[in-house]
Amino acid sequence: MGALPTLPQHTLYRPADLSAFDNETLPIILWGNGGCTDDAGSAFNHLVELASHGYAVFASGSLLSGPLAAPDFRLSSDHYMTTDHTDMLDALEWADHNNTPKGPLKGKLNLDAVAVSGHSCGGILSLKLASSIHRIKAVVVHNSGIFPNRSERPMLVTDKAWLQNLHTPVLYIIGNISDVGSAVARDDFSRIDHVPVFLAQLDVGHGGTFKEPFGGAAARAARLWFDWQLKGKRSAAASFIGAQCGLCTDPIWVIQRKRFDQLPEFQEKRH
């Protein structure tokens, strides 16, 4: 993981050995950092885990925290609310123009399999992009939803109307009542009636499982969602569809879902 010479304001997480993926290209995940910071290392374990399964993950900013950061560095208020959805789009534009056989990734990016995801403030950015960019094929929102506008963050103007423009299934991963994003995500869930939506709750706070080894349970659920939505893996779909779905029967999760009966995979499992 690290910055690219032609994309210095972002960090790319990818498999270290691309030869292991000679027969496939890497779907793209555009990641929004918690707090909309410029710290691309804030979800280090989570993003490394996703990348290791064959994804190219672009996070805004540089590795200010995490195992590769300077040990004495501390995030200050100057680092918060410094990135927005346009930064995520910059990474996608870079991918569009640097996926040639002579580019840095030598045609290894799958430009037809693009997802957005993020934590807290980054989750809001992901919903904004997912509602406005039709090429987005998968959405995972962590400990977040569309929060009401507040005067202290004029750079992030939100609108619940974004939800009506979502065009793909959406996965929300939230924590317990102490998670400030939990109630907001539940409100989003109640409003989404036109696309399948999956709400998965863990007994954790707003910080989720990002600090746990391999990103914890949330990273595993997100990876399975991407494997299903972006790679079409039926084994991954089984974690979300059917009465005995993987997350449905795992005691660490409390789940709700809507409109999944419209999905062909759901009907196959049911019948």
Side-chain angles (χ1 to χ4, degrees):
M1 69 294 296
L4 296 162
T6 53
L7 193 67
Q9 301 306 314
H10 293 75
T11 297
L12 170 63
Y13 293 78
R14 66 166 179 83
D17 182 9
L18 288 176
S19 67
F21 298 89
D22 279 346
N23 297 321
E24 61 181 292
T25 53
L26 308 179
I28 295 168
I29 300 172
L30 307 175
W31 176 259
N33 304 319
C36 291
T37 70
D38 55 357
D39 178 17
S42 60
F44 185 89
N45 291 349
H46 183 99
L47 302 187
V48 167
E49 176 66 8
L50 294 180
S52 74
H53 286 271
Y55 292 92
V57 187
F58 292 87
S60 304
S62 54
L63 295 170
L64 301 180
S65 65
L68 300 184
D72 57 346
F73 180 83
R74 295 292 182 273
L75 282 180
S76 70
S77 59
D78 293 338
H79 294 279
Y80 285 85
M81 304 301 289
T82 54
T83 61
D84 63 19
H85 70 288
T86 61
D87 295 292
M88 298 168 75
L89 281 177
D90 286 346
L92 182 58
E93 182 178 359
W94 181 93
D96 284 338
H97 290 90
N98 289 274
N99 196 41
T100 65
K102 295 183 179 180
L105 293 181
K106 300 180 180 179
K108 291 303 296 181
L109 299 177
N110 186 344
L111 301 175
D112 295 321
V114 180
V116 290
S117 185
H119 175 227
S120 192
C121 185
I124 303 174
L125 302 183
S126 297
L127 286 166
K128 185 172 186 177
L129 279 184
S131 70
S132 58
I133 307 297
H134 194 72
R135 67 187 290 189
I136 301 301
K137 299 295 177 62
V139 184
V140 178
V141 179
H142 293 268
N143 311 95
S144 185
I146 298 182
F147 284 77
N149 290 309
R150 298 201 303 264
S151 59
E152 68 269 25
R153 56 176 196 186
M155 66 164 289
L156 187 61
V157 177
T158 63
D159 190 342
K160 286 287 187 179
W162 296 348
L163 299 173
Q164 304 311 311
N165 294 324
L166 296 172
H167 59 274
T168 69
V170 183
L171 171 63
Y172 284 85
I173 299 177
I174 62 173
N176 55 33
I177 193 172
S178 70
D179 174 10
V180 68
S182 178
V184 184
R186 292 180 185 280
D187 182 69
D188 284 9
F189 180 85
S190 71
R191 294 169 184 258
I192 298 173
D193 289 315
H194 64 293
V195 295
V197 55
F198 197 106
L199 184 72
Q201 180 183 1
L202 290 166
D203 189 17
V204 295
H206 188 57
T209 64
F210 289 101
K211 301 301 183 183
E212 295 182 13
F214 308 105
R220 182 176 186 275
R223 190 265 300 172
L224 289 167
W225 186 266
F226 293 135
D227 281 353
W228 175 26
Q229 297 291 310
L230 298 181
K231 296 186 177 184
K233 292 187 176 181
R234 296 178 64 84
S235 58
S239 293
F240 305 97
I241 58 176
Q244 299 299 312
C245 80
L247 269 67
C248 305
T249 56
D250 188 333
I252 70 170
W253 293 99
V254 176
I255 68 104
Q256 298 180 62
R257 56 187 173 181
K258 291 195 299 186
R259 303 190 74 89
F260 268 59
D261 58 343
Q262 294 183 338
L263 297 170
E265 296 93 338
F266 183 93
Q267 296 170 7
E268 290 174 13
K269 283 286 183 181
R270 188 175 59 184
H271 298 298

